CSV table of all heavy atoms in Angstrom, one decimal:
chain,number,residue,atom,x,y,z
A,10,PHE,N,-7.4,-4.6,-2.8
A,10,PHE,CA,-6.8,-3.2,-2.8
A,10,PHE,C,-5.5,-3.2,-3.5
A,10,PHE,O,-4.6,-4.1,-3.2
A,10,PHE,CB,-6.6,-2.7,-1.3
A,10,PHE,CG,-5.9,-1.4,-1.2
A,10,PHE,CD1,-6.6,-0.2,-1.4
A,10,PHE,CD2,-4.5,-1.3,-1.0
A,10,PHE,CE1,-6.0,1.0,-1.3
A,10,PHE,CE2,-3.9,-0.1,-0.9
A,10,PHE,CZ,-4.6,1.1,-1.0
A,11,VAL,N,-5.4,-2.4,-4.5
A,11,VAL,CA,-4.2,-2.3,-5.3
A,11,VAL,C,-3.5,-0.9,-5.3
A,11,VAL,O,-4.2,0.1,-5.5
A,11,VAL,CB,-4.5,-2.7,-6.8
A,11,VAL,CG1,-3.2,-2.8,-7.6
A,11,VAL,CG2,-5.3,-4.0,-6.9
A,12,SER,N,-2.3,-0.9,-5.0
A,12,SER,CA,-1.5,0.4,-5.0
A,12,SER,C,-0.6,0.4,-6.1
A,12,SER,O,0.2,-0.5,-6.3
A,12,SER,CB,-0.8,0.5,-3.7
A,12,SER,OG,0.0,1.7,-3.6
A,13,ILE,N,-0.6,1.5,-7.0
A,13,ILE,CA,0.2,1.6,-8.2
A,13,ILE,C,0.9,2.9,-8.2
A,13,ILE,O,0.3,4.0,-8.1
A,13,ILE,CB,-0.7,1.5,-9.4
A,13,ILE,CG1,-1.5,0.2,-9.4
A,13,ILE,CG2,0.1,1.6,-10.7
A,13,ILE,CD1,-2.6,0.1,-10.5
A,14,GLY,N,2.2,2.8,-8.4
A,14,GLY,CA,3.0,4.0,-8.6
A,14,GLY,C,3.1,5.0,-7.4
A,14,GLY,O,3.1,6.2,-7.6
A,15,THR,N,3.1,4.5,-6.2
A,15,THR,CA,3.1,5.4,-5.1
A,15,THR,C,4.4,5.1,-4.2
A,15,THR,O,4.9,4.0,-4.2
A,15,THR,CB,1.9,5.2,-4.2
A,15,THR,OG1,1.9,3.9,-3.6
A,15,THR,CG2,0.6,5.3,-5.0
A,16,SER,N,4.8,6.1,-3.5
A,16,SER,CA,6.0,6.0,-2.7
A,16,SER,C,5.8,5.4,-1.4
A,16,SER,O,6.7,4.9,-0.7
A,16,SER,CB,6.6,7.4,-2.5
A,16,SER,OG,5.8,8.2,-1.7
A,17,GLY,N,4.5,5.5,-0.9
A,17,GLY,CA,4.2,5.0,0.4
A,17,GLY,C,4.6,5.9,1.5
A,17,GLY,O,4.6,5.6,2.7
A,18,ASN,N,5.0,7.2,1.1
A,18,ASN,CA,5.4,8.2,2.1
A,18,ASN,C,4.4,9.2,2.4
A,18,ASN,O,4.6,10.0,3.4
A,18,ASN,CB,6.7,8.8,1.6
A,18,ASN,CG,7.9,7.9,1.7
A,18,ASN,OD1,8.1,7.2,2.6
A,18,ASN,ND2,8.7,7.9,0.6
A,19,VAL,N,3.4,9.3,1.6
A,19,VAL,CA,2.4,10.5,1.7
A,19,VAL,C,1.1,10.0,2.4
A,19,VAL,O,0.4,9.1,1.9
A,19,VAL,CB,2.1,11.1,0.3
A,19,VAL,CG1,1.1,12.2,0.5
A,19,VAL,CG2,3.4,11.5,-0.4
A,20,TYR,N,0.9,10.5,3.6
A,20,TYR,CA,-0.3,10.1,4.3
A,20,TYR,C,-1.4,11.2,4.1
A,20,TYR,O,-1.1,12.3,3.9
A,20,TYR,CB,0.0,10.0,5.8
A,20,TYR,CG,0.7,8.7,6.1
A,20,TYR,CD1,2.1,8.6,5.9
A,20,TYR,CD2,0.0,7.5,6.5
A,20,TYR,CE1,2.8,7.4,6.1
A,20,TYR,CE2,0.7,6.3,6.8
A,20,TYR,CZ,2.1,6.3,6.6
A,20,TYR,OH,2.7,5.1,6.8
A,21,PRO,N,-2.7,10.8,4.2
A,21,PRO,CA,-3.2,9.5,4.7
A,21,PRO,C,-3.3,8.4,3.6
A,21,PRO,O,-3.6,7.3,3.9
A,21,PRO,CB,-4.6,9.9,5.1
A,21,PRO,CG,-5.0,11.0,4.3
A,21,PRO,CD,-3.8,11.8,4.0
A,22,ALA,N,-2.9,8.7,2.3
A,22,ALA,CA,-3.0,7.7,1.3
A,22,ALA,C,-2.2,6.5,1.6
A,22,ALA,O,-2.6,5.3,1.4
A,22,ALA,CB,-2.6,8.3,0.0
A,23,ALA,N,-1.0,6.7,2.2
A,23,ALA,CA,-0.1,5.5,2.5
A,23,ALA,C,-0.7,4.6,3.5
A,23,ALA,O,-0.3,3.4,3.6
A,23,ALA,CB,1.2,6.1,2.9
A,24,GLY,N,-1.7,5.1,4.3
A,24,GLY,CA,-2.3,4.3,5.4
A,24,GLY,C,-3.5,3.5,4.9
A,24,GLY,O,-4.0,2.6,5.7
A,25,LEU,N,-3.9,3.6,3.6
A,25,LEU,CA,-5.1,2.9,3.2
A,25,LEU,C,-4.9,1.4,3.1
A,25,LEU,O,-5.8,0.6,3.3
A,25,LEU,CB,-5.5,3.4,1.8
A,25,LEU,CG,-6.0,4.9,1.7
A,25,LEU,CD1,-6.3,5.3,0.3
A,25,LEU,CD2,-7.2,5.1,2.6
A,26,VAL,N,-3.6,1.0,2.8
A,26,VAL,CA,-3.4,-0.5,2.8
A,26,VAL,C,-3.7,-1.1,4.1
A,26,VAL,O,-4.1,-2.2,4.2
A,26,VAL,CB,-1.9,-0.7,2.3
A,26,VAL,CG1,-0.9,-0.1,3.3
A,26,VAL,CG2,-1.7,-2.2,2.2
A,27,GLU,N,-3.4,-0.4,5.2
A,27,GLU,CA,-3.7,-1.0,6.6
A,27,GLU,C,-5.2,-1.1,6.8
A,27,GLU,O,-5.6,-2.1,7.4
A,27,GLU,CB,-3.0,-0.1,7.6
A,27,GLU,CG,-1.5,0.0,7.5
A,27,GLU,CD,-0.8,0.8,8.6
A,27,GLU,OE1,-0.8,0.4,9.7
A,27,GLU,OE2,-0.3,1.9,8.2
A,28,ILE,N,-5.9,-0.1,6.3
A,28,ILE,CA,-7.4,-0.2,6.5
A,28,ILE,C,-7.9,-1.4,5.7
A,28,ILE,O,-8.8,-2.2,6.1
A,28,ILE,CB,-8.1,1.1,6.0
A,28,ILE,CG1,-7.6,2.2,6.9
A,28,ILE,CG2,-9.6,0.9,5.9
A,28,ILE,CD1,-8.1,3.6,6.4
A,29,ALA,N,-7.3,-1.6,4.5
A,29,ALA,CA,-7.7,-2.7,3.6
A,29,ALA,C,-7.4,-4.1,4.3
A,29,ALA,O,-8.2,-5.0,4.3
A,29,ALA,CB,-7.1,-2.6,2.3
A,30,ARG,N,-6.2,-4.2,4.9
A,30,ARG,CA,-5.8,-5.4,5.6
A,30,ARG,C,-6.7,-5.7,6.7
A,30,ARG,O,-7.1,-6.9,6.9
A,30,ARG,CB,-4.4,-5.3,6.0
A,30,ARG,CG,-3.3,-5.4,4.9
A,30,ARG,CD,-1.9,-5.0,5.4
A,30,ARG,NE,-1.5,-5.8,6.5
A,30,ARG,CZ,-0.8,-6.9,6.4
A,30,ARG,NH1,-0.5,-7.4,5.3
A,30,ARG,NH2,-0.4,-7.6,7.5
A,31,GLU,N,-7.0,-4.7,7.5
A,31,GLU,CA,-7.9,-4.9,8.7
A,31,GLU,C,-9.3,-5.4,8.2
A,31,GLU,O,-10.0,-6.1,9.0
A,31,GLU,CB,-8.0,-3.6,9.5
A,31,GLU,CG,-6.8,-3.2,10.2
A,31,GLU,CD,-6.9,-1.8,10.8
A,31,GLU,OE1,-8.0,-1.2,10.7
A,31,GLU,OE2,-5.9,-1.3,11.4
A,32,ALA,N,-9.7,-5.0,7.0
A,32,ALA,CA,-11.0,-5.4,6.5
A,32,ALA,C,-11.0,-6.7,5.8
A,32,ALA,O,-12.0,-7.2,5.4
A,32,ALA,CB,-11.5,-4.3,5.5
A,33,GLY,N,-9.8,-7.3,5.7
A,33,GLY,CA,-9.7,-8.7,5.2
A,33,GLY,C,-9.5,-8.7,3.7
A,33,GLY,O,-9.6,-9.7,3.0
A,34,ALA,N,-9.2,-7.5,3.1
A,34,ALA,CA,-9.0,-7.5,1.6
A,34,ALA,C,-7.6,-8.0,1.3
A,34,ALA,O,-6.6,-8.0,2.1
A,34,ALA,CB,-9.1,-6.0,1.1
A,35,ARG,N,-7.5,-8.5,0.0
A,35,ARG,CA,-6.2,-8.9,-0.5
A,35,ARG,C,-5.5,-7.6,-0.9
A,35,ARG,O,-6.2,-6.7,-1.5
A,35,ARG,CB,-6.3,-9.9,-1.7
A,35,ARG,CG,-5.0,-10.3,-2.3
A,35,ARG,CD,-5.1,-11.5,-3.2
A,35,ARG,NE,-3.8,-11.8,-3.7
A,35,ARG,CZ,-2.8,-12.5,-3.1
A,35,ARG,NH1,-3.0,-12.8,-1.8
A,35,ARG,NH2,-1.7,-12.8,-3.6
A,36,THR,N,-4.2,-7.5,-0.7
A,36,THR,CA,-3.5,-6.2,-1.0
A,36,THR,C,-2.4,-6.5,-2.0
A,36,THR,O,-1.6,-7.5,-1.8
A,36,THR,CB,-3.0,-5.6,0.3
A,36,THR,OG1,-2.1,-6.5,1.0
A,36,THR,CG2,-4.1,-5.2,1.2
A,37,VAL,N,-2.3,-5.7,-3.0
A,37,VAL,CA,-1.3,-5.8,-4.0
A,37,VAL,C,-0.6,-4.5,-4.3
A,37,VAL,O,-1.2,-3.5,-4.4
A,37,VAL,CB,-1.9,-6.4,-5.3
A,37,VAL,CG1,-0.9,-6.5,-6.4
A,37,VAL,CG2,-2.7,-7.7,-5.1
A,38,GLU,N,0.8,-4.6,-4.4
A,38,GLU,CA,1.5,-3.4,-4.8
A,38,GLU,C,2.1,-3.6,-6.2
A,38,GLU,O,2.8,-4.6,-6.4
A,38,GLU,CB,2.7,-3.1,-3.8
A,38,GLU,CG,3.6,-2.0,-4.2
A,38,GLU,CD,4.5,-1.5,-3.2
A,38,GLU,OE1,4.1,-0.6,-2.4
A,38,GLU,OE2,5.7,-2.1,-3.1
A,39,LEU,N,1.9,-2.7,-7.1
A,39,LEU,CA,2.5,-2.7,-8.4
A,39,LEU,C,3.3,-1.4,-8.5
A,39,LEU,O,2.7,-0.3,-8.5
A,39,LEU,CB,1.4,-2.7,-9.5
A,39,LEU,CG,0.4,-3.9,-9.4
A,39,LEU,CD1,-0.7,-3.7,-10.5
A,39,LEU,CD2,1.1,-5.2,-9.5
A,40,ASN,N,4.6,-1.5,-8.6
A,40,ASN,CA,5.4,-0.3,-8.5
A,40,ASN,C,6.7,-0.4,-9.2
A,40,ASN,O,7.1,-1.6,-9.5
A,40,ASN,CB,5.7,0.0,-7.0
A,40,ASN,CG,5.7,1.5,-6.6
A,40,ASN,OD1,5.5,2.4,-7.5
A,40,ASN,ND2,6.0,1.8,-5.4
A,41,LEU,N,7.4,0.6,-9.4
A,41,LEU,CA,8.7,0.6,-10.1
A,41,LEU,C,9.7,-0.1,-9.1
A,41,LEU,O,10.6,-0.8,-9.6
A,41,LEU,CB,9.2,2.0,-10.5
A,41,LEU,CG,10.4,2.0,-11.4
A,41,LEU,CD1,10.2,1.3,-12.7
A,41,LEU,CD2,10.8,3.5,-11.6
A,42,GLU,N,9.6,0.2,-7.9
A,42,GLU,CA,10.4,-0.4,-6.8
A,42,GLU,C,9.6,-0.4,-5.5
A,42,GLU,O,8.5,0.2,-5.4
A,42,GLU,CB,11.7,0.5,-6.6
A,42,GLU,CG,11.3,2.0,-6.2
A,42,GLU,CD,12.6,2.9,-6.3
A,42,GLU,OE1,13.6,2.4,-6.8
A,42,GLU,OE2,12.5,4.0,-5.7
A,43,PRO,N,10.1,-1.2,-4.5
A,43,PRO,CA,9.3,-1.3,-3.3
A,43,PRO,C,9.1,0.0,-2.6
A,43,PRO,O,10.0,0.9,-2.5
A,43,PRO,CB,10.2,-2.2,-2.4
A,43,PRO,CG,11.0,-3.0,-3.4
A,43,PRO,CD,11.3,-2.1,-4.6
A,44,SER,N,7.8,0.2,-2.2
A,44,SER,CA,7.5,1.5,-1.5
A,44,SER,C,7.9,1.4,-0.1
A,44,SER,O,8.3,0.3,0.4
A,44,SER,CB,6.0,1.7,-1.6
A,44,SER,OG,5.3,0.8,-0.8
A,45,ALA,N,7.7,2.4,0.7
A,45,ALA,CA,8.0,2.4,2.1
A,45,ALA,C,7.1,1.5,2.9
A,45,ALA,O,7.5,1.0,3.9
A,45,ALA,CB,7.8,3.9,2.7
A,46,GLY,N,5.9,1.1,2.3
A,46,GLY,CA,5.0,0.2,3.0
A,46,GLY,C,4.9,-1.1,2.3
A,46,GLY,O,3.9,-1.9,2.5
A,47,ALA,N,5.9,-1.5,1.5
A,47,ALA,CA,5.9,-2.7,0.7
A,47,ALA,C,5.6,-4.0,1.5
A,47,ALA,O,4.9,-4.9,1.1
A,47,ALA,CB,7.2,-2.9,-0.1
A,48,SER,N,6.1,-4.1,2.8
A,48,SER,CA,5.9,-5.3,3.6
A,48,SER,C,4.4,-5.5,4.0
A,48,SER,O,4.1,-6.6,4.5
A,48,SER,CB,6.7,-5.2,4.8
A,48,SER,OG,6.4,-4.1,5.6
A,49,LEU,N,3.6,-4.5,3.8
A,49,LEU,CA,2.2,-4.6,4.2
A,49,LEU,C,1.3,-5.3,3.1
A,49,LEU,O,0.1,-5.5,3.3
A,49,LEU,CB,1.6,-3.2,4.5
A,49,LEU,CG,2.2,-2.4,5.7
A,49,LEU,CD1,1.7,-1.0,5.7
A,49,LEU,CD2,1.9,-3.2,7.0
């Protein structure tokens, strides 16, 4: 699961990384700066 160019503030899109993590996917953020959910 890759997130590109998002703020991490708009739901439900911002919650998709948590669904990916629960499913065992590798998660990657590509962004201009850390998003609100960067630690995930």
Side-chain angles (χ1 to χ4, degrees):
F10 176 82
V11 186
S12 177
I13 303 172
T15 66
S16 66
N18 289 314
V19 180
Y20 284 83
L25 294 178
V26 61
E27 297 181 70
I28 296 173
R30 284 168 58 90
E31 290 172 4
R35 179 165 182 76
T36 57
V37 178
E38 174 170 272
L39 305 176
N40 216 2
L41 188 61
E42 58 189 15
S44 72
S48 63
L49 297 172

